[in-house]
Amino acid sequence: MKKNVNDIINSLGGTGKLANLLGVNPSAVSNYRQKGFPDRLHLKIAMLCEERSVQISNDVLGGVTVPKIIKTNPKEYLSGTSLSMVKHLSTGGFDLIDPPVIVSADKVLDRMGENSADRLFIFSDQEGLRLCLRPDLTIPTCLYYLDQGFTGEKKLYSYFGKVFQLRLDNSSGPSEYSQAGLEYIGKQDQLASEIEIFYKVESSLRSEGLKNYHTFMGDVSLFSIFLDVMDLPDLWRKKLKAKYWNESDFKALLEDLSFKKSVDNELARRVFSLDRESATDLVRRSLGMSFEATPIGRTVEEIMERLRQKGEEFSLQPLSKVTVNLIKEFLSISDKPFKALDRLRLISKNLDSSLLRQIDTAKERLEQIKELGVNLDKSEFSSEKGREVEYYTGFLFDFVNSQKGKSIHLGGGGRYDNLIRSMGSKTDIPAVGAALNMENLEKALSLRLLQ
Amino acid sequence: MKAITMALPSKGRIQEDMNRFLNSAGISIIRDGDQRTYTGHIKEFEDIKIRFLSANEIAMELLAGNVQLGITGLDLISELDNKISKEVIILSKLGFSKADVVVAIPNSWIDVSSTQDLAEVTRDFLHIHERRLRVATKFERLTRNFFNEKGINNYRIVESTGATEGSPSAGTSELIVDITSSGKTLEANNLRVLNDGVILKSEACIFASKSLNWDKFNLNPVEKLLRTISARSEAINKVEMLFEYLSYDDSLELDLFRKFNGIFSGGTPNLGDAVSLITPEKKSSSCSQYLTSKGYGPIRINRPNLIYFNIDSAWQKLKTEIDL
């Protein structure tokens, strides 16, 4: 136990070293030896002592106590909010893991698409392997799952750590921030796992004392099943599903499909009029005559199939006004969750029962969430939520805090059943997860305190 | 007053094209010391310092604000320009080293002719092959922006710094984004440009880095130099037709402009004037036929080396942009 100033200065490395640590002149430290530490330095000195395990008597530093900073695994200093969040999320069988910070850039881009490359910190190692800093914790967690050799076993993970995304716009936000989150991977009851993830995150917000937030929900599987049960040619269905993820392209496509197409591709028309075998021969002959025998990168069959599709387009009837309007109406529903689902059900009442069952499942999910005590007054369900990025495959949700006219995105999540396959798994492995932006959460909490 | 620094290409096609351009304009570039040095000056414009760099480095130096002026390809500036770059402006397009940045696919993809087709194929490809189509290119940014705009996201970029056209047949990519002037190399490698696959029409330009403190520099030689360069670029691929304006025709001036982009260099002529008409070279034969059919002639056709306009647009642009 160090009781006097000289002992403390010596145990912190002497005059010169401490001057460096404090950013002052050595003469100032010599001065402290005579006159004691000035009040403003008490906390700083106490912290330096604590970091170096130098035991000091309380009265030397005017009785100052160092605020409790707790080291956790992952080995970062966590704020109180972060710490209680980690504690909350890693209960109930969720293992706290520390997935890699540096991941294969190719794996990330395989998942996110090339257009996200300019938001990543990409670099190469000595062997020329392209790596990047993780842009989220979901991808590294899934890679961690696969690295453990799992192929569908149920695993529950929680995580906390920094993620890194380059800022493209002029906003001044940081390009690194902390995420806390959960992943439910592998064998699971679909509804139960979604509710568990949603509830765990939602209740963690409430346990931090946050009340003023809105929940925005959606389920991208509804529209997909809606298209499945509509009386549409398969080809139109396929095109609509592909363009769904880009609102303006989708609108243009709907417009385009409302008109009869005129034949402008003679080869496509001929390919469509033949059976597949003869069509393949025809394509092969056209290739052999004018081009190299084997196409680059794709097979003759692939090219034939696409030509067939093109040929088929000319034979198909355009979409009726009724169909186009029904599609538009289905995508326009946005309301209080129960009301939104009732409205969707009303629109769909003449359609196949598999769609109705899916809507009922969504309603069941809501009811169970409500039974857990979640207040849905400030919630909204939208039939087109989640279409901005092709990412989620089913239920999804976002939490947004609004105070004093400011909207702060706290976090969100949902189901992505094709995620792990795109990371290299041989089979589809179901997964649902969610993450919170800790900086935004802390911002929202401090704004709340100001009120 | 400090001397302006201008960066010029030190190697490759663009250097040869530029030397021809500057020689025709009567501008001689002199290397300091022997031919291997990388600094120089222009005869008669001693106050402009020249740095010889690769076309790529010139683009980087302009965007970093390290040189005031530079001649390089528009493709390189567009590719390298990013959020943190200084603003670079085109003072004048110079009309040489013309080439297009294009999306090219294998000839054998007879089902694909537009970017719309390509968007569908990239999606099908991902489902069939469980990986994304690979695009070989050195124009990563231009490719990403263009594909994003066309709604194509299911692809991967494979970095390629040389012989990009050979990449699909070598099996390291399925398609390419590359720069092409004649299209012959694409053809030889069994590749074809998509109907709407021109990302950028590029040519050599003289650029200025806008952010610098231009008022610290001596701009007198810059005005003279820009005027000469503009005069040369105005004259490139143009012909001058000389004939006598002997029969009055009040629609002639407008017709010549509409049909052949022809401009009377001396303004609206009076009856009996010997007139000089400037038109693009490729319109010269149709234009002369038109004139002879109207009864004008004989018509003498010259190739002007320089055409000076009383207001020089490159110099005006620089003055406006830097607030002089």
Side-chain angles (χ1 to χ4, degrees), chain A residues 354-371:
Chain A
S354 58
L355 175 60
L356 299 177
R357 274 202 303 279
Q358 192 67 15
I359 296 173
D360 290 342
T361 304
K363 209 166 164 183
E364 173 67 24
R365 187 195 292 128
L366 271 181
E367 261 152 21
Q368 290 195 31
I369 286 172
K370 201 177 169 192
E371 271 167 34

Side-chain angles (χ1 to χ4, degrees), chain A residues 55 63 95 98 126 140 154 220 239 403 448:
Chain A
Q55 301 279 322
D95 288 337
D98 190 10
Q126 294 92 324
K154 172 180 162 182
V220 290
K239 282 186 176 247
Q403 292 181 81
R448 181 187 54 104

Side-chain angles (χ1 to χ4, degrees), chain A residues 16 23 35 54 56 73 92 132 202 208 215 252 259-260 293 312 324 337 350-351 379 385 414 422 431:
Chain A
K35 295 180 182 164
V54 177
I56 47 169
N73 183 28
C132 72
E202 200 273 347
E208 292 305 321
T215 312
F259 295 101
K260 179 87 180 142
E312 190 187 353
V324 172
N350 296 326
L351 294 170
S379 301
K385 181 163 176 60
S422 69

Side-chain angles (χ1 to χ4, degrees), chain B residues 59-79:
Chain B
M60 289 193 279
E61 290 293 78
L62 281 164
L63 290 163
N66 291 338
V67 294
Q68 287 78 47
L69 297 171
I71 292 179
T72 186
L74 179 58
D75 57 324
L76 298 171
I77 291 284
S78 310
E79 169 64 19

